[in-house]
Amino acid sequence: MPSPRFSIIIPVYNRPGEMADLMAGLDAQTLKDFELIVVEDGSTVPCREVVEAYAGKFPVRYFAQENKGRSIARNVGMEQARGAYLLFFDSDCILPPDYIAKLSAFLDAHPYDCFGGPDAAHPDFSPLQKAISFAMTSMLTTGGIRGRARSMERFVPRTFNMGFSREVYSRVGGFKEMFSEDIDMSTRIRNAGFSVGLYPELPVYHKRRLSLRKFFRQVYVFGMSRISLHLLYPGSLKLVHALPALAVVIGLTLLLLGIFVSPWWLLPIGLYLAALFVSALVTTRSLRVALLALPASVIQICGYGTGFIRAWVWSILLGHGRNLEAERRMRAGK
């Protein structure tokens, strides 16, 4: 049996329902030149039955391991892969039906050693999921660094929508078990001299967190991880990465001035929230989503910013280096 062009590798932890949607999206692909490798990372609610129900429709292999982390799970999948390219998605993603066909054509026309695409909200997502998607992708919140053609930072593929060639894997190795392991991997790939590029017309639908509390925890970890990456790769920290932390400091200062000095100090906050609302309304064409996008965007900025500040104080200001124990606890919380 000839090897497929693509090996899709999915680490999963307690998400059988979301895996069902991902599997349906894979089954709907117009080009099935791929194999699927699912690695269950110590789940108490496994998805074996969901995955193996599609075994007759395209090549599927399922592996289970003790809870070791998603990076180890991806590495296990790569060891088993037979494809020329290794593709990575989160278990809460859904692929458009033409994803594999488009990717194959893009690689033929404009090949990259390592590549990725943006994430987006599916029309069937809940209003909260769409609001969180806006908060994570808007130029007003993240600077477009998660897959926009125009961005405040050079594009860095992330594992919600990422792939690279087998040669990359053979030379660079696997993922590290750490915060933002995908950014670390992309950095190592670029530093090794491989080409890295964005396919802006190759999105996936990303469900993200189903509550604002979980969303805050997620972006808080992202903020902490940026300092860990800075310690590993001096010079990688850019202004765009520090903007949420600056926004937290400035916003808190304006809020205190508005309470104790004059309400006019609250005007910049009001103007920014108004800009967010208008942008969300134009982007999503939904009043409800635009209203939800306001707290989601504030959580995105404050969560990331406070995580960044905490890690900066601990690791840089106090000189403790990476807080490995904090990283371990945060990862264990899934």
Side-chain angles (χ1 to χ4, degrees):
M1 182 177 179
S3 298
R5 189 174 193 185
F6 304 106
S7 291
I8 298 174
I9 299 166
I10 308 291
V12 60
Y13 179 81
N14 286 345
R15 289 186 173 183
E18 292 177 339
M19 281 299 296
D21 291 337
L22 187 147
M23 298 298 294
L26 292 175
D27 186 42
Q29 292 300 302
T30 57
L31 176 66
K32 288 190 169 66
D33 191 7
F34 64 85
E35 64 173 351
L36 174 66
I37 301 171
V38 175
V39 183
E40 192 97 57
D41 183 36
S43 298
T44 57
V45 186
C47 64
R48 177 189 287 272
E49 292 185 3
V50 172
V51 171
E52 293 185 344
Y54 289 84
K57 299 183 178 182
F58 48 84
V60 174
R61 284 185 285 164
Y62 173 93
F63 300 90
Q65 66 176 25
E66 295 180 0
N67 182 221
K68 298 179 180 179
R70 57 181 179 249
S71 291
I72 305 303
R74 291 191 185 104
N75 293 342
V76 169
M78 288 193 288
E79 291 172 0
Q80 301 295 328
R82 299 181 296 116
Y85 290 94
L86 311 178
L87 306 183
F88 304 90
F89 309 102
D90 288 344
S91 57
D92 59 352
C93 289
I94 301 174
L95 274 62
D98 58 353
Y99 182 96
I100 297 297
K102 277 188 173 181
L103 174 58
S104 188
F106 290 156
L107 284 170
D108 290 341
H110 304 287
Y112 292 112
D113 300 311
C114 176
F115 48 85
D119 52 349
H122 191 278
D124 293 337
F125 283 3
S126 71
L128 179 58
Q129 288 174 321
K130 292 177 181 178
I132 291 176
S133 179
F134 170 84
M136 288 296 289
T137 58
S138 171
M139 285 290 293
L140 292 174
T141 54
T142 60
I145 65 176
R146 297 177 65 87
R148 282 180 174 262
R150 292 185 177 181
S151 170
M152 294 179 67
E153 181 194 28
R154 182 170 56 175
F155 174 66
V156 177
R158 291 167 168 82
T159 46
F160 62 78
N161 186 2
M162 176 183 184
F164 47 77
S165 68
R166 179 166 292 278
E167 182 185 359
V168 167
Y169 172 50
S170 65
R171 285 180 50 189
V172 177
F175 291 89
K176 298 177 183 177
E177 185 57 24
M178 58 175 289
F179 285 165
S180 294
E181 72 284 355
D182 46 4
I183 300 178
D184 170 79
M185 178 63 121
S186 294
T187 302
R188 288 189 283 132
I189 291 171
R190 195 185 298 273
N191 289 347
F194 289 104
S195 61
V196 179
L198 165 68
Y199 293 130
E201 297 178 358
L202 196 69
V204 298
Y205 301 121
H206 199 175
K207 294 179 183 177
R208 304 190 184 281
R209 302 302 179 181
L210 298 179
S211 73
L212 292 178
R213 180 182 62 83
K214 291 180 179 179
F215 180 50
F216 178 89
R217 180 182 179 85
Q218 181 185 44
V219 293
Y220 183 88
V221 169
F222 289 167
M224 291 183 66
S225 71
R226 181 50 63 180
I227 299 300
S228 296
L229 290 165
H230 167 67
L231 295 174
L232 286 171
Y233 305 103
S236 65
L237 188 64
K238 308 299 182 184
L239 175 61
V240 65
H241 304 138
L243 286 178
L246 293 174
V248 169
V249 173
I250 293 172
L252 182 60
T253 301
L254 291 173
L255 185 61
L256 292 175
L257 289 171
I259 294 173
F260 296 107
V261 179
S262 169
W264 285 105
W265 286 103
L266 300 177
L267 181 60
I269 297 177
L271 291 175
Y272 178 68
L273 292 177
L276 280 174
F277 175 77
V278 171
S279 178
L281 186 62
V282 171
T283 301
T284 66
R285 299 181 181 180
S286 167
L287 178 61
R288 185 179 179 188
V289 173
L291 290 172
L292 287 171
L294 292 178
S297 297
V298 170
I299 286 174
Q300 192 279 325
I301 294 169
C302 292
Y304 184 104
T306 53
F308 184 100
I309 291 170
R310 174 189 172 182
W312 179 81
V313 170
W314 173 268
S315 301
I316 298 177
L317 186 62
L318 298 180
H320 292 304
R322 287 176 62 194
N323 190 341
L324 299 178
E325 177 59 22
E327 293 185 21
R328 185 196 65 79
R329 291 198 304 268
M330 296 296 285
R331 285 198 302 268
K334 295 296 179 180

